[in-house]
Amino acid sequence: MARTPQDVTDTELAILQLLWDQGPATIRQLTDVLYPSGGTAHYATVQKLLERLEAKECVTRERRAAAHTFAAALDREELIGRRLESMAEKLCGGSLTPLLTHLVRTQRLSSQERQNLRTLIDELDQTTKPRTGRR
């Protein structure tokens, strides 16, 4: 039976965002960014959060160096997808249409963003159309 992915807390998300934006890092490097004047307690907090993220299979640990290095194992797009699907399930009976419609109507999209959406929809239409012709 497939394991249901666990969501991440806001604090864990802050660590993932650093790993997405800056790449692999040690506990010390992450602590210095998250808590610039932090001490031992903050280091321990980041260490515990990384342990939780590792247990959730959201980060990987490189153990070869003197200081362990952590990298994101979960990409941003996957987390966005999980959260949107969860929100759609809770609010819209699983349908993404009301959620997407609301976002498109209420956000000011640039002409380039609207064109990108049109292109995406056209691409999706092309991949779902049955192919006809000779074989």
Side-chain angles (χ1 to χ4, degrees):
M1 187 156 129
R3 190 173 151 205
T4 304
Q6 296 178 331
D7 199 12
V8 297
T9 66
D10 288 343
T11 310
E12 292 167 343
L13 179 58
I15 289 175
L16 279 173
Q17 287 173 327
L18 283 173
L19 294 174
W20 289 328
D21 294 342
Q22 299 178 8
T26 64
I27 298 170
R28 171 58 52 211
Q29 291 167 328
L30 293 167
T31 303
D32 289 347
V33 173
L34 291 170
Y35 305 103
S37 59
T40 308
H42 289 111
Y43 183 92
T45 298
V46 172
Q47 182 176 21
K48 188 62 170 175
L49 290 166
L50 285 163
E51 289 171 3
R52 289 180 186 164
L53 285 167
E54 188 176 23
K56 293 177 183 182
E57 299 178 357
C58 295
V59 299
T60 58
R61 180 191 310 231
E62 177 65 47
R63 297 176 187 269
R64 283 185 261 185
H68 294 184
T69 302
F70 293 83
L74 171 73
D75 68 20
R76 193 182 309 254
E77 292 296 319
E78 185 177 344
L79 184 58
I80 289 169
R82 282 186 195 178
R83 289 200 168 180
L84 286 176
E85 289 171 11
S86 175
M87 186 65 61
E89 190 63 41
K90 289 176 186 174
L91 297 176
C92 309
S95 174
L96 288 174
T97 303
L99 185 62
L100 294 173
T101 301
H102 173 78
L103 289 173
V104 170
R105 284 191 175 150
T106 60
Q107 302 300 311
R108 294 198 187 279
L109 300 177
S110 69
S111 60
Q112 182 62 50
E113 290 170 323
R114 289 191 307 274
Q115 184 57 48
N116 290 345
L117 284 173
R118 286 184 194 99
T119 301
L120 174 62
I121 291 168
D122 290 345
E123 288 171 3
L124 292 172
D125 284 346
Q126 292 299 317
T127 61
T128 57
K129 287 182 182 177
R131 294 183 180 186
T132 57
R134 290 183 264 167
R135 289 188 171 198

